[in-house]
Amino acid sequence: MPDISKRSHKTLRILRKMLMPRTFFLMIALLGQMIILTGVISRFNQYFAQFYAFSLFLSLVVFLWVMNSQINPAYKIAWIIPILLFPIFGGLFYLFLGRSRMSRKVSQRMKAYEMATMKALMRQRSKSEDYLRQIEDSRQDAAIQARYINHYAGYPLYPEQYNQYLDAGEVKFEKLLEELEKAERYIFMEYFIIEEGLMWNRILEILKKKADAGVDVRLIYDDVGCLFTLPHGYDKKMEEMGIKCCIFNPLVPVLSLRQNNRDHRKITVIDGTVAFTGGINLADEYINKIEKFGHWKDTAILMKGESVWSFTVMFLSMWDYLRDVSENFEQFKPRQIPSKDQSREKETTSKGYIQPFADSPLDQEPVSETVYLNLIYRAQKYVYITTPYLILANEMVTALCAAAKGGVDVRIITPHKWDKRLVHAVTRTFYKALIQSGVKIYEYTPGFMHSKTFVVDDHYAVVGTINMDYRSLYLHFECGVWMFDTECIAEMKNDFTETLKVCQRVTMEEYRERKWYKVLTGSILRIFAPML
């Protein structure tokens, strides 16, 4: 009986989501478009020969453009195959679904706001040069990595004042509620997924109370990320509560050139003095209040001090773009922490350096990928990685294999229970080459591993929103925190080693025992990995 009840509850929950007004609206709109398209095809059936010739020509042009573009080779192959197999529609499919960048008009408008970001960070970036010289005297490798982020991502280096590694969604939730209650000036929140439930309802209660008290509360959520978790028009509901709200890249029920780019960031900024980021969205599975794919393992980081300014500017740049406004970022500079707040004064004890950064798909600079590659290539002892997806470009595979072959202890934890069947099948196709090179692969047996972390040689670490797949590295807006010699790096290493105790190592013997049809399916899917 309990099992039947559990399944019934899950079924009802899925049906409820399917019947949400927003989803229903999209389904009706798409159905209408299909009917219209059928009528158009029937009416212009006499022009099929001309349409066929035009489609072939378009596919040829798209094929030549893809071949000569600077996009990742694997992404090229993934689209060249369907274009060649289906020449009538292949070119059209690529134009609407395959382009990795926004339209030129949208890109130009967003770049104007990114320039405002660079201007707001200019003073701190000049200070970074002094910090870089200090690091250079003791560790050249660290200076090289930090200088890249400073010069090419545009985000400065800070002497770390306080950070805390949060090793579970439940821990992050508790800390987040605690810090939100302290807000006096503003609360900025930007998340890929928000879902009504215990976690979000508790947070929303505080946000509404703070908004009523005059605190500037702003919320950004991604439309695709929240497609099945929030009702249509939820932004208007927030505005009615006094919470300013923007939707990133709203999904429209028509073929669009812009739907590939999503806002995958998870950011909270409070008064310019406190910031959170990491893999944890605002939904109950992230704090294990409901079970979706077994136990949900995730991580985040809490920061206080000067480094929070980078996340403040990061949020404001996106906000101004979505609202089409131009604010003076300086007005959001943190005020002097009052002496009565003894708790915050005592927390400024950490050493080392911290460097928040953002990654945008609008330019040709693969910031996240380069940060990861720098960590791998410069590792001397070990590289410990957690990621929900392991769908790698050739550059990343080569780096991981080369490090392991050179004697570096490379270990990667992925999920044992998947959230996306096809994606997990493709993830497992990468195991063979990595294991043969000496990389140790582990699967998190209690459930789903959603954490995105790197720990290297006791000196370096990254916590952020960046998965090791094509979408995170090339298509989405992402963010992370690069750290050097901060105190929480030891905590991250300890969390990794403790997590290994409940993981199952994947061996070549187990890999070879896979069913032949799973091997075949994975091999086919891997060709199209960049699309997943």
Side-chain angles (χ1 to χ4, degrees):
M1 287 298 293
D3 290 340
I4 295 173
S5 176
K6 187 175 181 180
R7 286 197 297 270
S8 300
H9 177 74
K10 185 176 181 180
T11 302
L12 288 171
R13 192 166 176 269
I14 293 171
L15 287 172
R16 179 179 63 83
K17 289 183 177 180
M18 291 177 65
L19 296 175
M20 290 174 75
R22 180 179 196 190
T23 310
F24 181 73
F25 165 76
L26 289 171
M27 291 172 63
I28 293 298
L30 287 170
L31 180 61
Q33 288 188 59
M34 291 174 65
I35 294 172
I36 294 171
L37 184 61
T38 302
V40 170
I41 291 174
S42 175
R43 183 175 180 181
F44 292 100
N45 189 47
Q46 57 184 312
Y47 300 109
F48 177 76
Q50 294 91 324
F51 172 76
Y52 183 78
F54 170 77
S55 298
L56 287 178
F57 175 75
L58 178 63
S59 292
L60 176 61
V61 172
V62 170
F63 171 79
L64 293 173
W65 187 88
V66 172
M67 284 294 295
N68 291 279
S69 66
Q70 296 181 356
I71 59 178
N72 188 279
Y75 201 74
K76 288 184 182 182
I77 294 172
W79 275 104
I80 286 172
I81 290 174
I83 290 172
L84 294 177
L85 287 176
F86 308 103
I88 297 180
F89 296 106
L92 286 171
F93 285 158
Y94 178 81
L95 290 178
F96 286 107
L97 301 175
R99 298 184 65 185
S100 60
R101 300 181 66 185
M102 290 184 174
S103 67
R104 181 176 299 178
K105 181 180 179 181
V106 172
S107 296
Q108 288 176 346
R109 192 162 75 86
M110 183 164 271
K111 282 179 180 177
Y113 293 101
E114 288 185 350
M115 291 299 294
T117 300
M118 298 303 103
K119 182 179 178 182
L121 295 172
M122 188 179 300
R123 186 180 305 170
Q124 189 60 44
R125 287 180 65 198
S126 62
K127 287 184 182 179
S128 282
E129 294 300 326
D130 295 332
Y131 303 140
L132 285 167
R133 283 190 286 270
Q134 293 173 20
I135 295 177
E136 211 163 22
D137 293 337
S138 60
R139 197 172 185 92
Q140 181 72 27
D141 281 354
I144 290 172
Q145 295 182 57
R147 185 172 285 111
Y148 168 78
I149 298 172
N150 189 43
H151 290 177
Y152 288 91
Y155 284 85
L157 180 71
Y158 301 86
E160 218 290 304
Q161 289 182 288
Y162 174 84
N163 65 40
Q164 183 179 355
Y165 174 66
L166 309 175
D167 62 1
E170 297 89 327
V171 179
K172 188 256 177 106
F173 182 41
E174 181 183 340
K175 287 289 183 181
L176 180 60
L177 294 178
E178 179 184 325
E179 295 297 336
L180 287 172
E181 289 284 7
K182 298 178 185 177
E184 297 176 354
R185 296 177 59 204
Y186 59 81
I187 298 172
F188 298 156
M189 304 187 78
E190 179 180 345
Y191 283 84
F192 180 62
I193 295 173
I194 298 174
E195 182 172 12
E196 294 177 309
L198 185 146
M199 185 182 193
W200 174 240
N201 292 344
R202 287 280 305 278
I203 292 170
L204 183 58
E205 182 182 337
I206 298 174
L207 297 184
K208 187 177 183 303
K209 180 177 68 174
K210 290 296 181 179
D212 291 341
V215 174
D216 183 1
V217 181
R218 305 185 186 187
L219 175 67
I220 298 173
Y221 64 84
D222 184 90
D223 203 37
V224 169
C226 297
L227 180 62
F228 297 107
T229 60
L230 292 179
H232 179 63
Y234 196 73
D235 57 323
K236 296 181 178 62
K237 179 179 178 180
M238 292 295 98
E239 294 280 352
E240 291 172 359
M241 292 183 182
I243 299 168
K244 301 171 187 174
C245 187
C246 287
I247 304 175
F248 179 86
N249 201 359
L251 178 66
V252 290
V254 295
L255 291 175
S256 172
L257 302 178
R258 302 188 291 127
Q259 299 308 322
N260 253 343
N261 305 115
R262 309 312 317 174
D263 184 357
H264 194 245
R265 306 191 309 202
K266 295 96 180 169
I267 300 170
T268 295
V269 179
I270 303 166
D271 292 346
T273 58
V274 179
F276 293 84
T277 194
I280 301 165
N281 283 297
L282 306 182
D284 284 354
E285 64 267 29
Y286 291 84
I287 56 173
N288 289 293
K289 288 299 179 182
I290 62 171
E291 183 178 308
K292 278 195 172 181
F293 317 107
H295 184 270
W296 195 288
K297 169 63 176 172
D298 219 327
T299 57
I301 185 171
L302 162 63
M303 293 159 290
K304 298 184 180 183
E306 287 184 287
S307 60
V308 175
W309 178 238
S310 284
F311 276 108
T312 308
V313 172
M314 202 182 298
F315 175 92
L316 288 170
S317 176
M318 181 66 78
W319 179 268
D320 283 8
Y321 161 73
L322 295 174
R323 286 269 175 158
D324 196 16
V325 297
S326 182
E327 297 175 291
N328 178 11
F329 290 180
E330 292 296 315
Q331 67 180 309
F332 299 98
K333 278 278 192 181
R335 295 169 182 165
Q336 188 69 28
I337 298 174
S339 58
K340 66 180 180 180
D341 193 347
Q342 298 296 325
S343 62
R344 291 186 180 178
E345 288 185 343
K346 290 179 181 178
E347 289 168 341
T348 58
T349 58
S350 294
K351 63 174 183 177
Y353 294 85
I354 187 167
Q355 195 167 18
F357 64 90
D359 193 3
S360 165
L362 300 182
D363 53 32
Q364 295 294 325
E365 191 60 41
V367 174
S368 300
E369 182 183 45
T370 304
V371 169
Y372 282 173
L373 288 173
N374 269 333
L375 289 168
I376 296 167
Y377 276 123
R378 298 183 184 282
Q380 297 178 11
K381 297 178 181 178
Y382 71 83
V383 178
Y384 294 163
I385 302 168
T386 62
T387 180
Y389 315 117
L390 196 66
I391 302 179
L392 309 174
N394 184 64
E395 295 87 346
M396 194 68 72
V397 174
T398 301
L400 290 167
C401 291
K405 289 176 180 178
V408 176
D409 181 13
V410 182
R411 305 187 185 198
I412 304 174
I413 300 178
T414 64
H416 184 68
K417 297 183 180 180
W418 39 264
D419 66 333
K420 301 179 180 72
R421 181 189 292 271
L422 296 182
V423 174
H424 193 60
V426 176
T427 286
R428 286 180 164 172
T429 66
F430 286 88
Y431 288 177
K432 182 179 179 181
L434 295 171
I435 293 171
Q436 286 179 332
S437 298
V439 177
K440 302 178 182 72
I441 304 290
Y442 300 84
E443 289 188 345
Y444 181 67
T445 52
F448 188 62
M449 169 62 69
H450 192 255
S451 170
K452 310 100 167 34
T453 63
F454 266 64
V455 186
V456 179
D457 291 351
D458 295 342
H459 292 292
Y460 307 108
V462 170
V463 180
T465 67
I466 310 151
N467 296 320
M468 294 187 73
D469 65 3
Y470 286 86
R471 292 203 165 274
S472 271
L473 297 176
Y474 303 117
L475 299 177
H476 292 167
F477 289 84
E478 303 280 1
C479 65
V481 180
W482 179 88
M483 290 172 279
F484 170 61
D485 277 354
T486 59
E487 291 181 359
C488 71
I489 291 176
E491 297 171 9
M492 292 179 65
K493 180 183 179 182
N494 182 65
D495 182 42
F496 186 93
T497 55
E498 287 297 312
T499 303
L500 280 181
K501 295 177 182 179
V502 292
C503 292
Q504 175 183 337
R505 184 173 174 181
V506 182
T507 64
M508 279 305 300
E509 289 72 21
E510 292 172 349
Y511 185 84
R512 293 192 186 101
E513 289 174 0
R514 292 188 308 157
K515 302 293 185 182
W516 68 268
Y517 57 87
K518 290 186 177 182
V519 176
L520 179 60
T521 303
S523 299
I524 295 171
L525 288 172
R526 182 163 170 173
I527 298 172
F528 304 99
M531 300 179 186
L532 298 177

